[in-house]
Amino acid sequence: MVDFELLKRIIEAPGVTGYEFLGVRDVVIEAFKPYVDEIKVDKLGNVIAHKKGSGPKVMLAGHMDQIGLMVTHIEKNGFLRVAPVGGVDPRTLIAQRFKVWVGPNEYIYGVGGSVPPHIQKPEERSKAPTWDQVFIDVGAESKEEAEEMGVKIGTVITWDGRLERLGKHRLVSIAHDDRIAVYILVEAARQLAKTDADVYFVATVQEEVGLRGAKVSAFGIDPDYGFALDVTIAADVPGTPEHKQVTQLGKGVAIKIMDRSVICHPTIVRWMEELAKKHEIPYQWDILLGGGTDAGAIHLNKAGVPTGGISIPARYIHSNTEVVDERDVDAAVKLTVKVLEEIPELKL
């Protein structure tokens, strides 16, 4: 099962898109150190952990940025106006607790403000809030007090979320998207006993705003093969027909066939299926029509890169209560390790 404490450190470290240096980057570097030959941080902030080999060059990417908010204005009475960084639904902000990051690993608390239903008009109660109606309350009574607390225009904000167990096999937290994949990369590096592949484990930046970190890191590495590790939708909840659920929790790692950003190389897809069957790794399929992953940037690098995707089913993506299943995480680690062990023999 998962190393809960390691996963907790990776998930709970701050790292809103573009601000990964606030905490998560250092946690990821320390996590990789014992298992690779060298680590570097490129100009955009990607962490590239290199395990040297003489065989094909393989890039595995999992993004370490998380969605969040950015302060755009401080009201005279101390309330903060915010904009989304990545795909944030304003409905998920009301009556929630937040961490306002006033420095690296330094935060103050805030809450998502809202107008009480008692004084709302009947037609207002049935409408989702707009960004113009969203604000964050940090307890300040004036703009000057908020600034004294460390808040500036451009300050980033995350939900106040922790990694917790949910039932027997489930884990709930903010930022499983995509810190769970970063954890899988670290575990794969730890468990990888022998391979001739020249392996680059990359914790990418700025995935949530356009796969930017994967684009520049793929250009620098110029891999022979690429794999993106990311969460995918598990809509296995009441009210969703089975054919629209995409994946289900507890049914295994999901082998990506297609999403909005990539059509995975068919030979790699079938080869991964054969690996899963050969090593008795539970798996399911991932066809995601409404989102993309770092695979979208990797496969378009230079003259093209044969690319696959390893997906982790997750419920309630892009909220502060994302849920994954430990059994799916374990299956993803196993498949990732087998991909690296046997990819030198792959023939396209």
Side-chain angles (χ1 to χ4, degrees), residues 152-183:
K152 303 175 182 178
I153 303 301
T155 292
V156 292
I157 302 171
T158 63
W159 284 286
D160 176 22
R162 298 173 299 279
L163 178 66
E164 303 283 359
R165 295 194 179 278
L166 186 69
K168 187 175 181 180
H169 296 292
R170 308 283 161 78
L171 299 167
V172 58
S173 181
I174 60 168
H176 277 308
D177 181 10
D178 190 32
R179 305 288 177 74
I180 193 66
V182 176
Y183 165 83

CSV table of all heavy atoms in Angstrom, one decimal, residues 152-183:
chain,number,residue,atom,x,y,z
A,152,LYS,N,-0.4,40.4,-1.2
A,152,LYS,CA,0.0,41.3,-2.2
A,152,LYS,C,-0.8,40.9,-3.5
A,152,LYS,O,-1.4,39.8,-3.5
A,152,LYS,CB,1.5,41.2,-2.6
A,152,LYS,CG,2.4,41.5,-1.5
A,152,LYS,CD,3.9,41.2,-1.9
A,152,LYS,CE,4.8,41.5,-0.8
A,152,LYS,NZ,6.2,41.2,-1.2
A,153,ILE,N,-0.9,41.8,-4.4
A,153,ILE,CA,-1.5,41.5,-5.7
A,153,ILE,C,-0.6,40.4,-6.3
A,153,ILE,O,0.7,40.5,-6.4
A,153,ILE,CB,-1.5,42.7,-6.7
A,153,ILE,CG1,-2.3,43.8,-6.0
A,153,ILE,CG2,-2.1,42.2,-8.0
A,153,ILE,CD1,-3.8,43.4,-5.7
A,154,GLY,N,-1.2,39.3,-6.7
A,154,GLY,CA,-0.4,38.1,-7.2
A,154,GLY,C,-0.1,37.0,-6.2
A,154,GLY,O,0.4,36.0,-6.6
A,155,THR,N,-0.5,37.3,-5.0
A,155,THR,CA,-0.4,36.2,-4.0
A,155,THR,C,-1.3,35.0,-4.4
A,155,THR,O,-2.4,35.3,-4.8
A,155,THR,CB,-0.8,36.7,-2.6
A,155,THR,OG1,0.1,37.7,-2.1
A,155,THR,CG2,-0.9,35.6,-1.5
A,156,VAL,N,-0.8,33.8,-4.2
A,156,VAL,CA,-1.6,32.6,-4.6
A,156,VAL,C,-2.2,32.0,-3.4
A,156,VAL,O,-1.7,32.1,-2.2
A,156,VAL,CB,-0.8,31.6,-5.4
A,156,VAL,CG1,-0.4,32.2,-6.8
A,156,VAL,CG2,0.5,31.2,-4.7
A,157,ILE,N,-3.3,31.2,-3.6
A,157,ILE,CA,-4.1,30.7,-2.6
A,157,ILE,C,-4.5,29.2,-3.0
A,157,ILE,O,-4.8,28.9,-4.1
A,157,ILE,CB,-5.4,31.5,-2.4
A,157,ILE,CG1,-5.1,33.0,-2.1
A,157,ILE,CG2,-6.3,30.9,-1.4
A,157,ILE,CD1,-6.3,33.9,-2.1
A,158,THR,N,-4.5,28.3,-2.0
A,158,THR,CA,-5.0,27.0,-2.1
A,158,THR,C,-6.0,26.7,-1.1
A,158,THR,O,-6.1,27.4,-0.1
A,158,THR,CB,-3.9,25.9,-2.0
A,158,THR,OG1,-3.3,26.0,-0.6
A,158,THR,CG2,-2.7,26.2,-3.0
A,159,TRP,N,-6.8,25.7,-1.4
A,159,TRP,CA,-7.7,25.2,-0.3
A,159,TRP,C,-6.9,24.7,0.9
A,159,TRP,O,-5.8,24.2,0.7
A,159,TRP,CB,-8.6,24.0,-0.8
A,159,TRP,CG,-9.7,24.3,-1.7
A,159,TRP,CD1,-10.9,24.9,-1.4
A,159,TRP,CD2,-9.8,24.1,-3.1
A,159,TRP,NE1,-11.7,25.0,-2.5
A,159,TRP,CE2,-11.0,24.5,-3.6
A,159,TRP,CE3,-8.9,23.5,-4.1
A,159,TRP,CZ2,-11.5,24.4,-4.9
A,159,TRP,CZ3,-9.3,23.4,-5.4
A,159,TRP,CH2,-10.6,23.9,-5.8
A,160,ASP,N,-7.5,24.7,2.0
A,160,ASP,CA,-6.9,24.2,3.2
A,160,ASP,C,-7.3,22.7,3.3
A,160,ASP,O,-8.3,22.4,3.9
A,160,ASP,CB,-7.3,24.9,4.5
A,160,ASP,CG,-6.8,24.3,5.8
A,160,ASP,OD1,-5.8,23.5,5.7
A,160,ASP,OD2,-7.4,24.5,6.8
A,161,GLY,N,-6.5,21.9,2.6
A,161,GLY,CA,-6.9,20.4,2.5
A,161,GLY,C,-5.8,19.5,3.0
A,161,GLY,O,-4.6,19.8,2.8
A,162,ARG,N,-6.1,18.4,3.6
A,162,ARG,CA,-5.2,17.5,4.1
A,162,ARG,C,-5.4,16.1,3.5
A,162,ARG,O,-6.5,15.8,3.1
A,162,ARG,CB,-5.3,17.4,5.6
A,162,ARG,CG,-5.0,18.7,6.4
A,162,ARG,CD,-5.3,18.5,7.9
A,162,ARG,NE,-6.7,18.2,8.1
A,162,ARG,CZ,-7.6,19.2,8.1
A,162,ARG,NH1,-7.3,20.4,7.8
A,162,ARG,NH2,-8.9,18.8,8.3
A,163,LEU,N,-4.4,15.3,3.5
A,163,LEU,CA,-4.5,13.9,3.1
A,163,LEU,C,-5.1,13.1,4.2
A,163,LEU,O,-4.6,13.1,5.3
A,163,LEU,CB,-3.2,13.3,2.7
A,163,LEU,CG,-3.2,11.8,2.2
A,163,LEU,CD1,-4.0,11.7,0.9
A,163,LEU,CD2,-1.8,11.3,2.1
A,164,GLU,N,-6.2,12.4,3.9
A,164,GLU,CA,-6.9,11.6,5.0
A,164,GLU,C,-7.3,10.3,4.3
A,164,GLU,O,-7.5,10.2,3.1
A,164,GLU,CB,-8.1,12.3,5.5
A,164,GLU,CG,-7.9,13.7,6.1
A,164,GLU,CD,-7.3,13.7,7.5
A,164,GLU,OE1,-7.1,12.5,8.0
A,164,GLU,OE2,-7.0,14.7,8.0
A,165,ARG,N,-7.4,9.3,5.2
A,165,ARG,CA,-8.0,8.0,4.7
A,165,ARG,C,-9.5,8.1,4.7
A,165,ARG,O,-10.1,8.8,5.6
A,165,ARG,CB,-7.6,6.9,5.7
A,165,ARG,CG,-6.0,6.7,5.6
A,165,ARG,CD,-5.6,5.3,6.2
A,165,ARG,NE,-4.2,5.1,6.1
A,165,ARG,CZ,-3.6,4.6,5.0
A,165,ARG,NH1,-4.3,4.3,4.0
A,165,ARG,NH2,-2.3,4.5,5.0
A,166,LEU,N,-10.1,7.4,3.7
A,166,LEU,CA,-11.6,7.5,3.6
A,166,LEU,C,-12.0,6.0,3.4
A,166,LEU,O,-11.8,5.4,2.3
A,166,LEU,CB,-11.9,8.3,2.4
A,166,LEU,CG,-13.4,8.6,2.1
A,166,LEU,CD1,-14.0,9.4,3.2
A,166,LEU,CD2,-13.6,9.2,0.7
A,167,GLY,N,-12.5,5.4,4.4
A,167,GLY,CA,-12.9,4.0,4.3
A,167,GLY,C,-11.6,3.1,4.3
A,167,GLY,O,-10.6,3.5,4.8
A,168,LYS,N,-11.8,1.9,3.8
A,168,LYS,CA,-10.7,0.9,3.8
A,168,LYS,C,-9.6,1.2,2.8
A,168,LYS,O,-8.4,1.0,3.1
A,168,LYS,CB,-11.3,-0.5,3.6
A,168,LYS,CG,-10.3,-1.6,3.8
A,168,LYS,CD,-11.0,-3.0,3.7
A,168,LYS,CE,-10.0,-4.1,3.9
A,168,LYS,NZ,-10.7,-5.4,3.8
A,169,HIS,N,-9.9,1.6,1.6
A,169,HIS,CA,-8.9,1.7,0.5
A,169,HIS,C,-8.8,3.1,-0.1
A,169,HIS,O,-7.9,3.2,-0.9
A,169,HIS,CB,-9.3,0.7,-0.6
A,169,HIS,CG,-9.3,-0.7,-0.2
A,169,HIS,ND1,-8.1,-1.4,0.1
A,169,HIS,CD2,-10.3,-1.6,-0.1
A,169,HIS,CE1,-8.4,-2.7,0.4
A,169,HIS,NE2,-9.7,-2.8,0.3
A,170,ARG,N,-9.6,4.0,0.3
A,170,ARG,CA,-9.6,5.3,-0.3
A,170,ARG,C,-8.8,6.4,0.4
A,170,ARG,O,-8.6,6.3,1.6
A,170,ARG,CB,-11.1,5.7,-0.5
A,170,ARG,CG,-12.0,4.7,-1.1
A,170,ARG,CD,-11.8,4.6,-2.6
A,170,ARG,NE,-12.2,3.3,-3.2
A,170,ARG,CZ,-13.5,3.0,-3.5
A,170,ARG,NH1,-14.5,3.9,-3.2
A,170,ARG,NH2,-13.8,1.9,-4.1
A,171,LEU,N,-8.3,7.3,-0.4
A,171,LEU,CA,-7.6,8.5,0.1
A,171,LEU,C,-8.2,9.7,-0.4
A,171,LEU,O,-8.5,9.8,-1.6
A,171,LEU,CB,-6.1,8.4,-0.3
A,171,LEU,CG,-5.3,7.2,0.1
A,171,LEU,CD1,-4.0,7.1,-0.6
A,171,LEU,CD2,-5.0,7.3,1.6
A,172,VAL,N,-8.5,10.7,0.4
A,172,VAL,CA,-9.1,12.0,0.0
A,172,VAL,C,-8.1,13.1,0.3
A,172,VAL,O,-7.5,13.2,1.4
A,172,VAL,CB,-10.5,12.2,0.7
A,172,VAL,CG1,-10.3,12.2,2.2
A,172,VAL,CG2,-11.1,13.5,0.2
A,173,SER,N,-8.1,14.1,-0.6
A,173,SER,CA,-7.2,15.2,-0.4
A,173,SER,C,-7.4,16.2,-1.6
A,173,SER,O,-8.0,15.9,-2.6
A,173,SER,CB,-5.7,14.8,-0.4
A,173,SER,OG,-4.9,15.9,-0.2
A,174,ILE,N,-6.9,17.4,-1.3
A,174,ILE,CA,-6.6,18.3,-2.5
A,174,ILE,C,-5.4,17.7,-3.2
A,174,ILE,O,-4.7,16.9,-2.7
A,174,ILE,CB,-6.3,19.7,-2.0
A,174,ILE,CG1,-5.0,19.7,-1.0
A,174,ILE,CG2,-7.4,20.4,-1.3
A,174,ILE,CD1,-4.4,21.1,-0.8
A,175,ALA,N,-5.3,18.2,-4.5
A,175,ALA,CA,-4.1,18.0,-5.3
A,175,ALA,C,-3.7,16.5,-5.6
A,175,ALA,O,-2.5,16.3,-5.9
A,175,ALA,CB,-2.9,18.7,-4.6
A,176,HIS,N,-4.6,15.6,-5.4
A,176,HIS,CA,-4.3,14.3,-6.0
A,176,HIS,C,-4.0,14.5,-7.5
A,176,HIS,O,-3.2,13.8,-8.1
A,176,HIS,CB,-5.5,13.3,-5.8
A,176,HIS,CG,-5.5,12.6,-4.5
A,176,HIS,ND1,-4.4,11.9,-4.0
A,176,HIS,CD2,-6.5,12.5,-3.6
A,176,HIS,CE1,-4.7,11.4,-2.8
A,176,HIS,NE2,-6.0,11.7,-2.6
A,177,ASP,N,-4.6,15.5,-8.1
A,177,ASP,CA,-4.3,15.9,-9.4
A,177,ASP,C,-3.2,17.0,-9.3
A,177,ASP,O,-3.5,18.2,-9.0
A,177,ASP,CB,-5.6,16.5,-10.0
A,177,ASP,CG,-5.4,17.0,-11.4
A,177,ASP,OD1,-4.3,16.8,-12.0
A,177,ASP,OD2,-6.3,17.7,-11.9
A,178,ASP,N,-2.0,16.7,-9.5
A,178,ASP,CA,-1.5,15.4,-10.0
A,178,ASP,C,-0.4,14.9,-9.0
A,178,ASP,O,0.5,14.2,-9.5
A,178,ASP,CB,-1.0,15.6,-11.4
A,178,ASP,CG,-0.7,14.3,-12.1
A,178,ASP,OD1,-1.4,13.3,-11.8
A,178,ASP,OD2,0.2,14.2,-12.9
A,179,ARG,N,-0.4,15.3,-7.8
A,179,ARG,CA,0.6,14.9,-6.9
A,179,ARG,C,0.7,13.3,-6.7
A,179,ARG,O,1.7,12.8,-6.4
A,179,ARG,CB,0.5,15.6,-5.5
A,179,ARG,CG,0.4,17.1,-5.6
A,179,ARG,CD,1.7,17.7,-5.9
A,179,ARG,NE,1.6,19.1,-6.1
A,179,ARG,CZ,1.5,20.0,-5.1
A,179,ARG,NH1,1.4,19.6,-3.8
A,179,ARG,NH2,1.4,21.3,-5.3
A,180,ILE,N,-0.5,12.7,-6.9
A,180,ILE,CA,-0.5,11.2,-6.8
A,180,ILE,C,0.4,10.6,-7.8
A,180,ILE,O,1.1,9.6,-7.6
A,180,ILE,CB,-1.9,10.7,-6.8
A,180,ILE,CG1,-2.0,9.2,-6.4
A,180,ILE,CG2,-2.5,10.8,-8.2
A,180,ILE,CD1,-1.6,9.0,-4.9
A,181,ALA,N,0.5,11.2,-9.0
A,181,ALA,CA,1.3,10.7,-10.1
A,181,ALA,C,2.8,11.0,-9.8
A,181,ALA,O,3.7,10.2,-10.1
A,181,ALA,CB,0.9,11.4,-11.4
A,182,VAL,N,3.1,12.2,-9.2
A,182,VAL,CA,4.5,12.4,-8.7
A,182,VAL,C,4.9,11.4,-7.7
A,182,VAL,O,6.0,10.9,-7.8
A,182,VAL,CB,4.6,13.9,-8.2
A,182,VAL,CG1,6.0,14.1,-7.6
A,182,VAL,CG2,4.2,14.9,-9.2
A,183,TYR,N,4.0,11.1,-6.8
A,183,TYR,CA,4.3,10.0,-5.8
A,183,TYR,C,4.6,8.7,-6.5
A,183,TYR,O,5.6,8.0,-6.2
A,183,TYR,CB,3.2,9.8,-4.8
A,183,TYR,CG,3.2,8.6,-4.0
A,183,TYR,CD1,4.0,8.5,-2.9
A,183,TYR,CD2,2.5,7.4,-4.5
A,183,TYR,CE1,4.1,7.3,-2.2
A,183,TYR,CE2,2.6,6.2,-3.8
A,183,TYR,CZ,3.4,6.2,-2.6
A,183,TYR,OH,3.5,5.0,-1.9
